[in-house]
Each structure stands twice: as C-alpha cells, then as structure tokens.
C-alpha cells in the first residue's frame, strides 16, 4: 500500500546479520568469502527488504548490506587508490581512522553498484532508494597523496559519482541519495566548492535526488562531539539556503533527540524534507506517539506532501531487533499523523 502523504523511508544502513559481519561494528570485516559472500549479501538484502516491508516502510533500500562502509566500499573500486598502505587521518575533525591513499588519478573503470541495484530493484515492488557517498565526504574519508587539493579531488569524485548515479537511475532506482555528513563540519568549503561538487554529482538525473547531512552515527566520537555543540545546533543555518537554491530535490536531517531548531527547515522552501524521527544513537525503541510528536513539530514548517518521515542516520551499529522495532515505530508514528491529517 502506497501512502499519499508522509511516505516513510530510511537514511541508508541497517544492521547486518551476524553470519555476514560482526554486529554493532562500523567497518566490520566480512565473515564469508567468494561465492558464499555474494550469496550471503543477497540473502541479507532480502531480509532487510522483508523487514522494511513488514514494518510498513514505503520507500525501501538495501540497508547497505553489500558494503563494509558507506564511503570506502565505493572508493576501493576506483583506480588511483591504494588500500594496501593506509594512513591514519582525522575524519570529520572528530576521530582517527586508517584510510586508503590516493596515489594517482582517480577513475572508475567499470560500474560499481549496478549488480546490487539490479538485484534490489527485482526483489521489491516498492519504490527503492540507493545511497552513494557525497564528494566532500569521500575526500574527508581518505588520504590524498596525489591531488593535494580537497576541491580538485572532490570534483573528480563528482564526475565518477554522476556516471554511477546515471546507471543506477537507468536500472529503475527511484531515489538516489548522496551522504554528506561533512557538510555539517566544513561550512566554508561547502560554500566555496562543496555544494557545486554535490550538484555536479546529481547533474542530469531525472529520478529524485536527496542529500543526507547529519551529526553522525551513534558512536562515542560523534556523541562526545555533540555535547560540545551547545543548546542549539545551528550548523544547518549556513548550508540550508545554499541547498534551497540547488538542484537537489530532498534534504535529510536529524530531528529526533537533536538540538536542531526546527524553524531552520523553513530555509528549505520548495524541497522535500526527510525528517529524522528515529534516534539512532539510542537502543531505546521509540513509542509511535513520540515519532508522531516529532512529525507534528516539523509540519509547522513543511507541507505534508513534502514531508517524509525517516531515521536520523544509518542504523548499522544497532542490534537487529532494535532496528526492526524502530522501523515499526517510524511507520506507526507516521500512520498516527496521517490519520490526524485525514480527519482535518
């Protein structure tokens, strides 16, 4: 059943089954290899699709079951990147990670996610969303030993992403979302070249395009950083007016248990808003009424047909049962508000 308004969706990742990768861990290595890994990934995608469908999610995704990490899985398929000799860099100005090195011109010699997208499209009748890392976040998740310019490298990545995104669209993907958590950290760069690179990545796409900007997964480094942001999180204030003028259709932001003043959403006039109504930094499953409260608050600034109830961020670090409970709560909360709107 497709709902006319308040269509529910997820940001991207969902927990992987324990037989595929170690639970509750970012960058968890695969527990299978070869053909067994390929089959295991497909089985995991089927599982997360059934979970989303049975929970009542309208626009579904593959839960990123085929990727170890939302950024590096794409990068490791590119020419010009060395995964053998890693460097430790500071990611999003918050935590250190061992990341690959750019050692030559980056290029995409073959489709990266086409097979995964084809499988996803064939396994469900619902509209499907596919996520890709944004150019700035890709630059912020590696060591650049070749271009020596974040902007130059971002623009190269934007061309690569655009080629990949156009193929995904041709395979029947309904929404392509670019993940840009770096947009909440490097505001000057967003203004100077980040927005331009993002628009290049989405250039010419006819399907819905989305950008996800968040305060990060519910991991300790991110939670500690959030404590330093004060009583109001206004990082979006500088980027929303730029996004409002951009070619991106949908903006995803975290509203559940965040200190983002919801009136900032008013800066995104004309855009679809993916309202994060599920807190991914907590293992407590929200009551549907709590989800409904977040959505009602957002409806003061967003028209119902422009509001898409969503999760705050990816849920890969959570236990599977918790993630499923949260999906059900999201759908149930949206249903409450949908009934209220119909009664008006």
């Amino acid at each position: 059943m497709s709902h006319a308004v308040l269509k529910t969706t997820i940001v991207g990742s969902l927990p992987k089954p324990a037989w595929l990768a170690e639970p509750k861990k970012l960058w968890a290595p695969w527990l299978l290899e070869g053909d067994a890994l390929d089959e295991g990934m497909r089985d995991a995608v089927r599982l997360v699709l059934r979970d989303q469908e049975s929970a009542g999610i309208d626009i579904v995704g593959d839960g990123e079951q085929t990727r170890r990490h939302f950024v590096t899985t794409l990068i490791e398929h590119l020419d010009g990147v060395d995964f053998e000799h890693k460097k430790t860099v500071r990611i999003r100005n918050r935590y250190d990670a061992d990341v690959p090195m750019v050692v030559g011109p980056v290029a995409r010699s073959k489709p990266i996610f086409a097979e995964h997208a084809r499988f996803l499209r064939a396994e469900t009748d619902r509209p499907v969303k596919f996520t890709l890392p944004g150019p700035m976040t890709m630059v912020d998740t590696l060591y650049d030993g070749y271009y020596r310019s974040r902007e130059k490298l971002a623009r190269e990545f934007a061309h690569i992403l655009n080629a990949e995104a156009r193929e995904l669209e041709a395979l029947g993907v309904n929404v392509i979302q670019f993940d840009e958590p770096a947009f909440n950290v490097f505001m000057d760069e967003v203004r100077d070249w980040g927005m331009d690179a993002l628009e290049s990545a989405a250039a010419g796409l006819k399907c819905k395009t989305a950008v996800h900007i968040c305060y990060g997964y519910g991991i300790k480094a991110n939670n500690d950083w959030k404590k330093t942001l004060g009583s109001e999180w206004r990082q979006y204030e500088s980027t929303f007016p730029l996004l409002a003028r951009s070619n991106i259709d949908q903006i995803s932001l975290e509203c559940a248990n965040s200190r983002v003043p919801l009136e900032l959403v008013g800066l995104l006039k004309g855009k679809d808003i993916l309202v994060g109504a599920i807190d991914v930094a907590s293992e407590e499953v929200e009551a549907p009424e709590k989800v409904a409260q977040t959505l009602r608050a957002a409806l003061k600034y967003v028209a119902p047909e422009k509001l898409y109830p969503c999760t705050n961020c990816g849920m890969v670090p959570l236990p599977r049962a918790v993630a499923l409970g949260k999906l059900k709560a999201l759908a149930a909360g949206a249903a409450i508000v949908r009934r209220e709107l119909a009664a008006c």
Side-chain angles (χ1 to χ4, degrees):
M1 174 176 119
S2 177
H3 299 109
V5 294
L6 303 188
K7 287 185 165 71
T8 52
T9 188
I10 61 168
V11 160
S13 68
L14 288 167
K16 295 183 179 81
W19 43 259
L20 184 62
E22 192 182 325
K24 296 176 67 169
K25 195 172 176 184
L26 296 181
W27 272 300
W30 301 117
L31 299 176
L32 303 170
E33 51 189 57
D35 291 345
L37 175 59
D38 292 337
E39 184 181 27
M41 286 176 179
R42 287 193 293 272
D43 289 343
V45 170
R46 286 193 188 99
L47 285 172
V48 297
L49 280 173
R50 294 299 90 84
D51 280 351
Q52 289 168 84
E53 290 173 349
S54 64
I57 302 300
D58 297 302
I59 301 161
V60 297
D62 67 358
E64 298 177 6
Q65 300 294 295
T66 64
R67 309 179 218 186
R68 276 188 63 190
H69 185 263
F70 79 103
V71 184
T72 47
T73 299
L74 187 138
I75 294 172
E76 62 195 43
H77 288 89
L78 302 179
D79 303 335
V81 185
D82 178 1
F83 264 77
E84 297 302 303
H85 307 95
K86 294 191 173 169
K87 284 256 192 189
T88 302
V89 302
R90 196 111 183 116
I91 290 189
R92 310 298 170 257
N93 278 348
R94 294 204 284 284
Y95 55 93
D96 293 330
D98 291 334
V99 295
M101 282 168 58
V102 176
V103 292
V106 290
R108 166 187 172 273
S109 49
K110 59 185 185 300
I112 297 169
F113 293 131
E115 278 311 307
H116 300 317
R118 193 176 281 118
F119 180 77
L120 171 67
R121 180 62 286 173
E123 284 293 309
T124 182
D125 297 331
R126 298 194 185 194
V128 297
K129 170 197 267 197
F130 208 91
T131 57
L132 294 171
M136 180 183 278
T137 297
M138 287 173 74
V139 169
D140 197 55
T141 316
L142 44 68
Y143 176 82
D144 174 14
Y146 179 77
Y147 292 91
R148 305 288 181 186
S149 158
R150 282 166 70 93
E151 177 179 353
K152 261 192 199 135
L153 181 54
R155 292 187 187 282
E156 292 298 326
F157 282 152
H159 294 306
I160 288 169
L161 287 165
N162 189 243
E164 182 74 16
R166 285 170 185 249
E167 283 182 5
L168 297 177
E169 176 184 59
L171 291 169
V173 169
N174 306 93
V175 185
I176 293 175
Q177 173 183 296
F178 297 95
D179 293 326
E180 281 287 27
F183 269 31
N184 254 0
V185 186
F186 308 107
M187 280 36 147
D188 292 347
E189 288 184 319
V190 173
R191 182 194 62 226
D192 295 343
W193 53 263
M195 193 64 67
D196 199 44
L198 176 64
E199 290 202 87
S200 298
L205 294 173
K206 308 276 187 298
C207 67
K208 286 273 189 191
T209 56
V211 62
H212 170 62
I213 310 171
C214 71
Y215 291 83
Y217 277 132
I219 58 174
K220 186 178 185 314
N222 291 337
N223 294 340
D224 289 348
W225 174 63
K226 290 178 188 182
K227 288 175 189 157
T228 70
L229 296 178
S231 60
E232 283 200 340
W233 300 353
R234 305 194 77 95
Q235 279 72 9
Y236 292 132
E237 213 159 20
S238 58
T239 44
F240 280 1
L242 302 172
L243 281 165
R245 296 196 293 272
S246 75
N247 63 2
I248 306 293
D249 301 313
Q250 305 187 328
I251 321 296
S252 154
L253 60 147
E254 59 182 88
C255 303
N257 283 355
S258 84
R259 298 202 181 126
V260 176
L262 272 175
E263 70 266 17
L264 294 185
V265 173
L267 299 171
L268 291 167
K269 283 278 182 286
K271 300 294 184 188
D272 292 345
I273 310 295
L274 277 60
V275 171
I278 293 293
D279 182 6
V280 300
S282 156
E283 292 193 9
E284 182 188 337
V285 174
E286 285 81 355
E289 176 54 35
K290 188 166 188 203
V291 171
Q293 281 170 4
T294 302
L295 300 178
R296 286 186 204 112
L299 280 167
K300 291 182 184 139
Y301 307 98
V302 190
E305 62 277 10
K306 293 279 189 190
L307 196 157
Y308 291 73
C310 191
T311 51
N312 269 359
C313 187
M315 295 204 280
V316 75
L318 293 170
R320 283 176 81 193
V322 169
L324 180 56
K326 284 177 177 281
L327 291 176
K328 289 177 174 168
L330 179 63
I336 291 171
V337 180
R338 223 178 274 122
R339 286 194 296 271
E340 291 170 355
L341 290 168
C344 285

